[in-house]
């Protein structure tokens, strides 16, 4: 489709990102969750650009529906952006040369607590 799925990159990128900070105007008014629905359902492009967010992208037939309510295409997620972030880190001067796949996630805390040590051997 000759477009970027990274918001703000290039001239053709998603303009209807399913994200509260992108779709609700920054007018110093606090809106409730349901108060934001009028912008979620609006056909107008987002008033704010969340540059660098990557949306889900095309389907298996390379079709992309830039519609805010169709979040399976237009919602940026942490999981969806992880690969992009890792690739970009490898290109930075602070990232060194390439990505060391043995240590790239060493600072990520474990999901579960460490297993306890095994019990001592049994003695009668």
């Amino acid at each position: 489709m000759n477009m970027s799925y990274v918001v703000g990159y290039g001239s053709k990128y998603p303009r209807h990102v399913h994200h509260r900070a992108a779709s609700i105007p920054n007018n110093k008014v606090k809106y409730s969750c349901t108060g934001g629905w009028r912008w979620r359902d609006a056909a107008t492009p987002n008033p704010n650009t969340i540059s660098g967010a990557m949306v889900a992208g095309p389907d298996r037939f390379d079709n992309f529906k830039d519609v805010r309510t169709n979040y399976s295409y237009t919602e940026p997620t942490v999981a969806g952006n992880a690969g992009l972030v890792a690739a970009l880190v490898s290109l930075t001067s602070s990232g060194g040369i390439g990505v060391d796949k043995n240590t790239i996630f060493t600072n990520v805390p474990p999901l579960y607590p460490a297993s306890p040590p095994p019990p001592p051997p049994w003695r009668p």
Side-chain angles (χ1 to χ4, degrees):
M1 294 190 65
N2 292 323
M3 73 178 292
S4 169
Y5 299 106
V6 177
V7 178
Y9 181 77
S11 59
K12 187 177 177 186
Y13 57 87
R15 309 283 179 170
H16 301 86
V17 178
H18 183 91
H19 191 279
R20 181 177 299 272
S23 58
I24 295 179
N26 185 12
N27 58 5
K28 308 296 184 210
V29 176
K30 290 188 178 186
Y31 298 98
S32 67
C33 285
T34 56
W37 288 352
R38 64 179 147 169
W39 292 287
R40 182 198 65 184
D41 297 336
T44 56
N46 290 341
N48 308 303
T49 302
I50 51 173
S51 298
M54 186 171 72
V55 299
D59 64 15
R60 62 186 177 143
F61 302 109
D62 201 28
N63 296 314
F64 179 77
K65 297 175 183 151
D66 191 9
V67 177
R68 194 175 298 111
T69 55
N70 193 352
Y71 59 87
S72 61
Y73 288 91
T74 60
E75 184 171 47
T77 62
V78 173
N81 283 282
L84 173 66
V85 171
L88 293 174
V89 165
S90 71
L91 299 174
T92 65
S93 60
S94 62
I97 300 173
V99 173
D100 182 353
K101 49 189 171 176
N102 295 314
T103 61
I104 188 170
F105 298 112
T106 55
N107 291 325
V108 176
L111 292 175
Y112 305 101
S115 299
W122 182 78
R123 293 188 184 195

